[in-house]
Structure formats: structure tokens, C-alpha cells
Amino acid sequence: MTVHSQGATTSAPQDAPHQSAGRRKAHSPAADPRPAPPRGGRKRLPSGWLPYLLVLPAVAGMALLLLYPLIKNVILSFQDINKIEFIQRKYPFAGFANYTQLLGDSAFWTVVVRSFLFTFANVVLIMVIGSLIGILLNRLGTWMRLVLSMALVMAWAMPIVASVQVFSWLFDEQFGVMNWVMRTLGFSGYEQHNWFETGLSTLTIVTLLVVWGSIPFVALNMYAGLTTVGAELYEAARMDGANGWQTFWKVVFPNLKPFFLVTTFLEVIWVFKAFTQVYAMNKGGPDRASEILPVFAYVEGQSQFHYGLAAAISVLTILILLVVMSFYFRLILKQEEEQ
């Protein structure tokens, strides 16, 4: 009971303020489980769409630059287009004639075998020498490691065409350094010796070039991988009496097996599609004896004007590489499952 100055009396329940505060608390925004609507009335995209929207520009660019030319190339491989048809802008459909001609041509299979042997020799040399240099980097002191790393980076950063010119000069018939070195060492028959006389000698020089340019990638990655191997593992192997080879095989290789798988996979792709080194060195000569599949396709298309046949060669090259890589994909997936 409350008495006002005017003499009127009013009554109010004592717990009214508490009930009011309780009602305000029950309807506070923080306690409301429903999400607040976005400001401005805009609807939010589902969170699952955000990654796809972020990669959409890259996918669109790849589709424009890679997928469209690939589709056009596959279509071209089913057409009989030579120099005359190209000038007249006629594109007659040939079906599987280009593929049948290639698969029945002994020259094509000779190039296929040569490409596999070239790839195998390069990848083995790159992985072995690159791994050894990576181990050397891990054992050197700071300053020597820095000097060797800078030399590797400079060799890796050298443009391919420039490195081809350097190697062409080294093995030049008249002014080459290698002829001078061989004469200085007392070997006869190196007066203006032609190092590019046969396809085998040409591919040998190209192999030196490819290996020289690819070793830095493997060596630096090998060194980076070795830094992740704990020193206690080396100490345990040393206490068990393991030598250098046993330490590498029992300690380093199991820990860096993913590195070897991925790096070998990349090197196989890069070497198998090596075009600039082979073509710029001697244009696939002499007498097309040093051609591998990418050079073989280019010469058939640009020099022989067999555009449909060249397209079929490129498609078969992709299929061959996919078949070879499918076995390697299984090894990588098996490695991931084991981990």
C-alpha cells in the first residue's frame, strides 16, 4: 500500500520488477538460438559453395587455355588435313585412319622405344646425382652449403635456350671445348670431331643438358627433406654399427619415401615431354635419329605438313603417358594408405 501526496492509494506487487527483468532476459538476442538475419536483407551463400567460388577463376582459365585446345586437337586427329587441305580450308573426316597408320608404322614404335629409354636414363641419373648432392648439402658447413646452393639455383634458373647454346658451343665441331679437352688428354681423332654425327651421340649430349638442368630441383628438395629427419635416428643407426649406405636405406629412405615417389613422378613427366632441349640442339637430327615423341609430332606437323597425323601422335603421347603414370599413381595411393 502506497500513499501519494494527493491522498490516492495504489497497490503494486513487489515482484513486478523481477518479472519484467526476467521477461527482458528471456527475449535477449544473446539467448535467442535463431541466427540473426543479415544486414541489408542480403542472403548469404551456403558455406559449402565458397571453396568452389574461390577456385572458379582458375578452373575457367585452365579450361580456356588447356581443355579447349585439347578438345580441338582430338578432333583434328580424326581429320585428314595436309598442306593442300589446310590452304583450301577443307577438313575431311578420316575416322581412325591416322591412328591406324601410326600404329602400323615401325618408325613410330622406334620413336616410342627411344622416348622410353631417353626418359629412363635421364630420370635415373637425375634422381641418383640429385639425391647425392642433397646429402652433400646436408653435411656441408654453412658457407659451403650457401655457395653450392647458389650454384644450383643459378643452373636451375638458366633459360633452356641459353643452356642449349652453351652446350652446343662446348661440343662444337670446330671451336668446341670438348674437342680441345680430348686432344689435350692425348686422344686422337678429335680434330674437328662431330659430336652430333649420330642420333645416339646427340641424345647423349641432350641427356647431359637435361640432367644438368634438373639436378638442382632434386638436390634442394632432398636437402629440405633431410632437415626433417631427426638427429637421434642417425645417432641410433651409428650406435647399431650401420655404415653410410645402411643408414640411407634404413633411416633416410623410409622417412623420405613420399619425396622420392612424388619427385620421380614429376621428373618422368618433365623428361618425357622434353621438347626444347632436343629440337633446339639438333632439330631431331641427324636424319630424325634423335627424335622423341614431342619432337616427332612437331616435325610431322610443321615440317611435313601432316597436321592430322601430328595431332594423332600428340593424343597417343598423352595416352601412353597416362597409362605409364597410372601404375605410379597406384604406388602413391598405396603409400598414402600405409601412412
Side-chain angles (χ1 to χ4, degrees), residues 52-64:
Y52 298 99
L53 291 177
L54 293 176
V55 301
L56 181 60
V59 173
M62 291 182 61
L64 181 63

Side-chain angles (χ1 to χ4, degrees), residues 18-46:
H18 299 283
Q19 294 178 358
S20 177
R23 286 192 296 266
R24 286 195 301 267
K25 183 176 180 180
H27 292 84
S28 61
D32 195 346
R34 294 173 298 177
R39 297 179 181 179
R42 292 178 297 177
K43 294 182 178 180
R44 292 180 179 178
L45 291 173

Side-chain angles (χ1 to χ4, degrees), residues 108-157:
F108 170 75
W109 291 110
T110 301
V111 175
V112 171
V113 173
R114 185 187 300 140
S115 300
F116 276 104
L117 293 177
F118 175 77
T119 302
F120 177 79
N122 277 272
V123 172
V124 170
L125 290 174
I126 290 169
M127 293 302 300
V128 172
I129 300 176
S131 298
L132 292 176
I133 295 178
I135 296 174
L136 178 63
L137 282 171
N138 191 46
R139 292 175 177 267
L140 289 176
T142 304
W143 288 104
M144 289 302 298
R145 184 188 304 125
L146 179 61
V147 172
L148 182 56
S149 299
M150 291 178 61
L152 291 171
V153 170
M154 287 189 291
W156 192 16

